[in-house]
Amino acid sequence: MSVPSNLLRRHLRALLLALCVLFGFTAAQAQTPILLSDNVGRVDVWPAVTTMTDPSGQLTIDTIRDKRQNFVVPVSAYATLGFKYGVEWLHVPLRVADNSDGDWILDIDYALLNRVDVFFVSNGLVVKTLRLGNDQAYALRPLASRSLAAEVMLKPGAEYDVYMRIDTIGAKILPITFSKLS
């Protein structure tokens, strides 16, 4: 008798979560900062992503920073949270290489996200905010591109906690990268 694949996936997720709890694995332990180095050129952030669901959609960046312990490593397919109702927050720690010029492009290569608010936090302070999404008029977008993208100037040698508030009515597909201009 074969086991339906969705049932098998559910059991595997439950087993993974149980092992994480058993061995004391937390989101904070899982997160190694992404290094933005000019000689790399393009960095995929998904390996460092943790998430937190905000069902009411009422949390703000000021309240979310105090809930870092509630962020968890996603157990979904790579670079997607699938079709989930409600707002989802992402957290990505990053460090800019000392020798970087600090000029980077943040790109979410999925144009169907309605609204993405991005907050760069350094030393506990919000130092940069961006608004991306297809609910924003094309002329008002930070970069004229098919994807959701913005140029960001980051301080060489600095560390940032990047928080993204994802609010969309469709699938949350999140191929997120930082890259250098070609």
Coordinates of all heavy atoms in Angstrom, one line a residue, residues 79-138:
A79 N 12.9 28.9 -1.9 CA 12.6 30.2 -2.3 C 11.1 30.4 -2.5 O 10.7 31.2 -3.3 CB 13.3 30.6 -3.5
T80 N 10.3 29.7 -1.7 CA 8.8 30.0 -1.8 C 8.2 29.6 -0.4 O 8.7 28.8 0.3 CB 8.2 29.1 -2.9 OG1 6.8 29.4 -2.9 CG2 8.3 27.6 -2.7
L81 N 7.1 30.3 -0.1 CA 6.3 30.0 1.0 C 5.0 29.5 0.5 O 4.1 29.2 1.3 CB 6.1 31.2 1.9 CG 7.4 31.7 2.5 CD1 7.2 33.0 3.3 CD2 8.1 30.7 3.4
G82 N 4.8 29.3 -0.8 CA 3.6 28.8 -1.3 C 2.4 29.8 -1.2 O 2.6 31.0 -1.0
F83 N 1.2 29.3 -1.2 CA 0.0 30.1 -1.1 C -0.4 30.1 0.3 O -1.0 29.1 0.8 CB -1.1 29.5 -2.0 CG -2.2 30.5 -2.2 CD1 -2.2 31.5 -3.1 CD2 -3.3 30.3 -1.4 CE1 -3.3 32.4 -3.2 CE2 -4.4 31.2 -1.4 CZ -4.4 32.2 -2.4
K84 N -0.1 31.1 1.0 CA -0.5 31.2 2.5 C -1.2 32.5 2.6 O -0.9 33.6 2.1 CB 0.8 31.3 3.4 CG 1.5 30.0 3.5 CD 2.8 30.3 4.2 CE 2.6 30.3 5.7 NZ 3.8 30.3 6.5
Y85 N -2.3 32.5 3.4 CA -3.0 33.7 3.7 C -2.3 34.5 4.8 O -1.6 33.9 5.6 CB -4.5 33.4 4.2 CG -5.3 32.9 3.0 CD1 -5.6 31.5 2.9 CD2 -5.9 33.7 2.1 CE1 -6.3 31.0 1.8 CE2 -6.6 33.3 1.1 CZ -6.9 31.9 0.9 OH -7.6 31.5 -0.1
G86 N -2.5 35.8 4.8 CA -1.9 36.6 5.8 C -0.5 37.1 5.4 O 0.1 36.7 4.4
V87 N 0.0 38.0 6.2 CA 1.3 38.6 6.0 C 2.4 37.7 6.5 O 2.2 37.0 7.5 CB 1.3 40.0 6.7 CG1 2.7 40.6 6.7 CG2 0.3 41.0 6.1
E88 N 3.5 37.7 5.8 CA 4.6 36.9 6.2 C 5.8 37.8 6.3 O 6.0 38.7 5.5 CB 4.9 35.8 5.2 CG 5.8 34.7 5.6 CD 5.1 33.8 6.6 OE1 3.9 33.6 6.6 OE2 5.9 33.2 7.4
W89 N 6.6 37.7 7.4 CA 7.8 38.5 7.6 C 9.0 37.6 7.3 O 9.0 36.4 7.7 CB 7.9 39.0 9.0 CG 7.0 40.2 9.3 CD1 5.7 40.1 9.6 CD2 7.3 41.5 9.3 NE1 5.2 41.4 9.8 CE2 6.2 42.3 9.6 CE3 8.5 42.2 9.0 CZ2 6.2 43.7 9.7 CZ3 8.5 43.6 9.0 CH2 7.4 44.3 9.4
L90 N 10.0 38.1 6.6 CA 11.2 37.4 6.4 C 12.3 38.2 7.2 O 12.3 39.4 7.3 CB 11.6 37.4 5.0 CG 10.7 36.8 3.9 CD1 11.3 36.8 2.6 CD2 10.2 35.5 4.3
H91 N 13.3 37.4 7.7 CA 14.5 38.0 8.3 C 15.7 37.4 7.6 O 15.8 36.2 7.4 CB 14.5 37.7 9.8 CG 15.8 38.2 10.4 ND1 16.7 37.3 10.9 CD2 16.3 39.4 10.6 CE1 17.8 38.0 11.4 NE2 17.5 39.3 11.2
V92 N 16.6 38.3 7.2 CA 17.9 37.9 6.6 C 19.0 38.7 7.2 O 19.0 39.9 7.1 CB 17.9 38.2 5.0 CG1 19.2 37.8 4.4 CG2 16.7 37.5 4.4
P93 N 19.9 38.0 7.9 CA 21.1 38.8 8.4 C 22.2 38.9 7.3 O 22.4 37.9 6.5 CB 21.6 37.9 9.5 CG 21.2 36.5 9.1 CD 19.9 36.7 8.3
L94 N 22.8 40.0 7.1 CA 23.8 40.1 6.1 C 24.9 41.0 6.6 O 24.8 41.8 7.5 CB 23.3 40.6 4.8 CG 22.7 42.0 4.6 CD1 23.7 43.0 4.3 CD2 21.7 41.9 3.5
R95 N 26.1 40.8 6.0 CA 27.3 41.6 6.3 C 27.9 42.0 5.0 O 28.0 41.2 4.1 CB 28.3 40.7 7.1 CG 29.5 41.6 7.7 CD 30.4 40.8 8.5 NE 31.4 40.1 7.8 CZ 32.4 40.7 7.1 NH1 32.5 42.0 7.1 NH2 33.3 40.0 6.5
V96 N 28.3 43.3 4.9 CA 28.9 43.8 3.7 C 30.4 43.7 3.9 O 30.9 44.1 5.0 CB 28.5 45.3 3.5 CG1 29.1 45.8 2.2 CG2 27.0 45.4 3.5
A97 N 31.1 43.1 2.9 CA 32.5 43.0 3.0 C 33.2 44.3 3.2 O 32.7 45.4 2.7 CB 33.1 42.3 1.8
D98 N 34.3 44.3 4.0 CA 35.1 45.5 4.3 C 35.5 46.3 3.0 O 35.5 47.5 3.0 CB 36.3 45.2 5.1 CG 35.9 44.7 6.5 OD1 34.8 45.0 7.0 OD2 36.8 44.0 7.1
N99 N 35.8 45.5 2.0 CA 36.4 46.1 0.7 C 35.3 46.4 -0.3 O 35.6 46.7 -1.5 CB 37.5 45.3 0.2 CG 37.0 43.9 -0.2 OD1 35.9 43.5 0.1 ND2 37.9 43.2 -0.9
S100 N 34.0 46.2 0.0 CA 32.9 46.4 -0.9 C 32.7 47.9 -1.2 O 33.0 48.8 -0.3 CB 31.6 45.9 -0.4 OG 30.5 46.2 -1.2
D101 N 32.3 48.3 -2.4 CA 31.9 49.7 -2.6 C 30.5 50.0 -2.0 O 30.1 51.2 -2.0 CB 32.0 50.0 -4.1 CG 31.0 49.3 -4.9 OD1 30.0 48.7 -4.4 OD2 31.0 49.5 -6.2
G102 N 29.8 49.0 -1.5 CA 28.5 49.2 -0.9 C 27.3 49.4 -1.8 O 26.2 49.5 -1.3
D103 N 27.5 49.4 -3.1 CA 26.5 49.6 -4.0 C 25.9 48.2 -4.5 O 26.6 47.5 -5.2 CB 27.0 50.4 -5.2 CG 25.9 50.9 -6.1 OD1 24.7 50.8 -5.7 OD2 26.2 51.4 -7.2
W104 N 24.7 47.9 -4.1 CA 24.1 46.6 -4.4 C 22.7 46.8 -5.0 O 22.0 47.8 -4.7 CB 24.0 45.8 -3.1 CG 25.4 45.3 -2.7 CD1 26.2 46.0 -1.9 CD2 26.0 44.1 -3.1 NE1 27.4 45.3 -1.7 CE2 27.3 44.2 -2.5 CE3 25.7 43.1 -3.9 CZ2 28.2 43.1 -2.7 CZ3 26.6 42.1 -4.1 CH2 27.8 42.1 -3.5
I105 N 22.2 45.8 -5.7 CA 20.8 45.7 -6.2 C 20.1 44.6 -5.4 O 20.6 43.5 -5.4 CB 20.8 45.4 -7.7 CG1 21.5 46.5 -8.5 CG2 19.3 45.3 -8.1 CD1 20.9 47.8 -8.5
L106 N 19.0 45.0 -4.7 CA 18.2 44.0 -4.1 C 17.1 43.6 -5.1 O 16.5 44.5 -5.7 CB 17.5 44.5 -2.9 CG 16.3 43.7 -2.3 CD1 16.8 42.4 -1.8 CD2 15.6 44.5 -1.2
D107 N 17.0 42.3 -5.4 CA 16.1 41.9 -6.5 C 15.2 40.7 -6.0 O 15.7 39.8 -5.5 CB 16.8 41.5 -7.7 CG 15.9 41.1 -8.9 OD1 14.9 41.9 -9.1 OD2 16.2 40.2 -9.6
I108 N 13.9 40.9 -6.2 CA 13.0 39.8 -5.9 C 12.4 39.4 -7.3 O 11.6 40.2 -7.8 CB 11.9 40.2 -4.9 CG1 12.5 40.7 -3.6 CG2 10.9 39.0 -4.7 CD1 11.4 41.2 -2.6
D109 N 12.8 38.3 -7.9 CA 12.5 38.0 -9.2 C 11.2 37.3 -9.4 O 11.1 36.2 -10.0 CB 13.7 37.2 -9.8 CG 13.6 37.1 -11.4 OD1 12.8 37.9 -12.0 OD2 14.2 36.2 -12.0
Y110 N 10.2 37.9 -8.8 CA 8.8 37.5 -9.0 C 7.9 38.7 -8.9 O 7.7 39.3 -7.8 CB 8.4 36.5 -7.9 CG 7.1 35.8 -8.0 CD1 6.8 35.0 -9.1 CD2 6.0 36.1 -7.2 CE1 5.5 34.4 -9.3 CE2 4.8 35.6 -7.3 CZ 4.5 34.7 -8.4 OH 3.3 34.2 -8.6
A111 N 7.4 39.1 -10.1 CA 6.7 40.4 -10.2 C 5.3 40.4 -9.7 O 4.7 41.4 -9.6 CB 6.7 40.8 -11.7
L112 N 4.8 39.3 -9.3 CA 3.4 39.2 -8.9 C 3.1 39.4 -7.4 O 2.0 39.2 -6.9 CB 2.8 37.9 -9.3 CG 2.8 37.6 -10.8 CD1 2.2 36.3 -11.2 CD2 2.1 38.8 -11.6
L113 N 4.1 39.8 -6.6 CA 3.9 40.1 -5.2 C 3.3 41.5 -5.1 O 3.8 42.5 -5.7 CB 5.3 40.1 -4.5 CG 6.0 38.8 -4.4 CD1 7.4 38.9 -3.9 CD2 5.2 37.7 -3.7
N114 N 2.2 41.6 -4.4 CA 1.5 42.9 -4.3 C 2.3 44.0 -3.5 O 2.4 45.1 -4.0 CB 0.1 42.7 -3.6 CG -0.7 41.8 -4.3 OD1 -1.2 40.8 -3.8 ND2 -0.9 41.9 -5.6
R115 N 2.8 43.7 -2.3 CA 3.5 44.7 -1.6 C 4.6 44.0 -0.7 O 4.3 43.0 0.0 CB 2.6 45.4 -0.7 CG 3.3 46.5 0.1 CD 2.3 47.4 0.8 NE 3.0 48.4 1.6 CZ 2.5 49.4 2.2 NH1 1.2 49.7 2.0 NH2 3.2 50.3 2.9
V116 N 5.8 44.6 -0.8 CA 6.9 44.1 0.0 C 7.6 45.4 0.6 O 8.1 46.2 -0.1 CB 8.0 43.4 -0.9 CG1 9.1 42.9 0.0 CG2 7.3 42.2 -1.6
D117 N 7.5 45.5 1.9 CA 8.2 46.5 2.6 C 9.5 46.0 3.1 O 9.5 44.9 3.8 CB 7.3 47.0 3.8 CG 6.1 47.7 3.3 OD1 6.1 48.6 2.4 OD2 5.0 47.3 3.8
V118 N 10.6 46.6 2.8 CA 11.9 46.2 3.2 C 12.5 47.1 4.2 O 12.5 48.4 3.9 CB 12.8 46.0 2.0 CG1 14.2 45.4 2.4 CG2 12.2 45.2 0.9
F119 N 13.1 46.6 5.3 CA 13.7 47.4 6.3 C 15.1 46.9 6.6 O 15.3 45.8 6.9 CB 12.9 47.3 7.6 CG 11.4 47.6 7.5 CD1 10.5 46.6 7.2 CD2 10.9 48.9 7.6 CE1 9.1 46.9 7.0 CE2 9.6 49.2 7.5 CZ 8.7 48.2 7.2
F120 N 16.0 47.8 6.5 CA 17.4 47.5 6.8 C 17.7 48.1 8.2 O 17.6 49.3 8.4 CB 18.4 48.2 5.8 CG 18.3 47.6 4.4 CD1 17.3 47.9 3.5 CD2 19.3 46.7 4.1 CE1 17.3 47.3 2.3 CE2 19.3 46.1 2.8 CZ 18.3 46.4 1.9
V121 N 18.1 47.2 9.1 CA 18.3 47.6 10.5 C 19.8 47.3 10.8 O 20.3 46.3 10.5 CB 17.4 46.7 11.5 CG1 17.7 47.0 12.9 CG2 15.9 46.9 11.1
S122 N 20.4 48.4 11.4 CA 21.8 48.3 11.8 C 21.9 48.9 13.2 O 21.4 50.0 13.4 CB 22.7 49.1 10.8 OG 24.0 48.9 11.1
N123 N 22.6 48.1 14.0 CA 22.8 48.5 15.4 C 21.4 48.9 16.1 O 21.3 49.9 16.8 CB 23.7 49.7 15.5 CG 25.1 49.3 15.1 OD1 25.6 48.2 15.4 ND2 25.8 50.2 14.3
G124 N 20.4 48.1 15.8 CA 19.1 48.3 16.4 C 18.2 49.4 15.8 O 17.1 49.6 16.2
L125 N 18.8 50.1 14.8 CA 18.0 51.3 14.2 C 17.7 51.0 12.7 O 18.5 50.4 12.0 CB 18.8 52.5 14.3 CG 19.3 53.0 15.6 CD1 20.2 54.2 15.5 CD2 18.0 53.4 16.4
V126 N 16.5 51.4 12.3 CA 16.1 51.2 10.9 C 16.8 52.3 10.2 O 16.6 53.5 10.4 CB 14.6 51.4 10.7 CG1 14.2 51.4 9.2 CG2 13.8 50.3 11.5
V127 N 17.7 51.9 9.3 CA 18.5 52.9 8.6 C 18.1 53.1 7.1 O 18.6 54.1 6.5 CB 20.0 52.5 8.6 CG1 20.6 52.6 10.1 CG2 20.3 51.2 8.0
K128 N 17.3 52.2 6.6 CA 16.8 52.3 5.2 C 15.5 51.5 5.1 O 15.4 50.5 5.6 CB 17.9 51.8 4.3 CG 17.6 51.9 2.8 CD 18.7 51.3 1.9 CE 20.1 51.9 2.1 NZ 20.2 53.3 1.9
T129 N 14.6 52.1 4.3 CA 13.3 51.4 4.0 C 13.1 51.5 2.5 O 13.5 52.4 1.9 CB 12.1 52.0 4.8 OG1 12.0 53.3 4.4 CG2 12.3 51.9 6.3
L130 N 12.4 50.5 2.0 CA 12.0 50.4 0.6 C 10.6 49.9 0.5 O 10.2 49.0 1.3 CB 12.9 49.4 -0.2 CG 14.4 49.7 -0.2 CD1 15.2 48.5 -0.8 CD2 14.7 50.9 -1.1
R131 N 9.9 50.3 -0.5 CA 8.6 49.7 -0.8 C 8.7 49.2 -2.2 O 9.0 49.9 -3.2 CB 7.5 50.7 -0.6 CG 6.2 50.1 -0.9 CD 5.0 51.0 -0.6 NE 3.8 50.4 -1.0 CZ 2.7 51.0 -1.4 NH1 2.7 52.4 -1.4 NH2 1.7 50.4 -1.7
L132 N 8.4 47.9 -2.4 CA 8.4 47.2 -3.6 C 7.0 46.6 -3.8 O 6.3 46.4 -2.8 CB 9.5 46.2 -3.7 CG 10.9 46.6 -3.4 CD1 11.8 45.5 -3.3 CD2 11.4 47.6 -4.5
G133 N 6.7 46.2 -5.0 CA 5.4 45.5 -5.3 C 4.7 45.9 -6.5 O 4.8 47.1 -6.9
N134 N 3.8 45.1 -7.0 CA 3.0 45.4 -8.2 C 1.8 46.3 -7.8 O 1.1 46.7 -8.8 CB 2.6 44.2 -9.0 CG 1.6 43.3 -8.3 OD1 1.0 43.7 -7.3 ND2 1.5 42.1 -8.8
D135 N 1.6 46.6 -6.6 CA 0.6 47.6 -6.3 C 1.1 49.0 -6.3 O 0.4 50.0 -6.2 CB 0.0 47.4 -4.9 CG 0.9 47.7 -3.7 OD1 2.1 47.9 -3.9 OD2 0.4 47.8 -2.6
Q136 N 2.4 49.2 -6.6 CA 3.0 50.5 -6.8 C 3.1 50.8 -8.3 O 3.5 50.0 -9.1 CB 4.4 50.4 -6.2 CG 5.1 51.7 -6.0 CD 6.4 51.6 -5.2 OE1 6.8 50.5 -4.9 NE2 7.0 52.7 -4.9
A137 N 2.7 52.0 -8.6 CA 2.7 52.4 -10.0 C 4.1 52.2 -10.6 O 5.1 52.5 -9.9 CB 2.3 53.9 -10.1
Y138 N 4.2 51.8 -11.8 CA 5.5 51.5 -12.4 C 6.5 52.7 -12.3 O 7.6 52.5 -12.0 CB 5.3 51.0 -13.8 CG 6.6 50.4 -14.5 CD1 7.0 49.1 -14.2 CD2 7.3 51.2 -15.3 CE1 8.1 48.6 -14.8 CE2 8.5 50.7 -15.9 CZ 8.9 49.4 -15.6 OH 10.0 48.9 -16.2

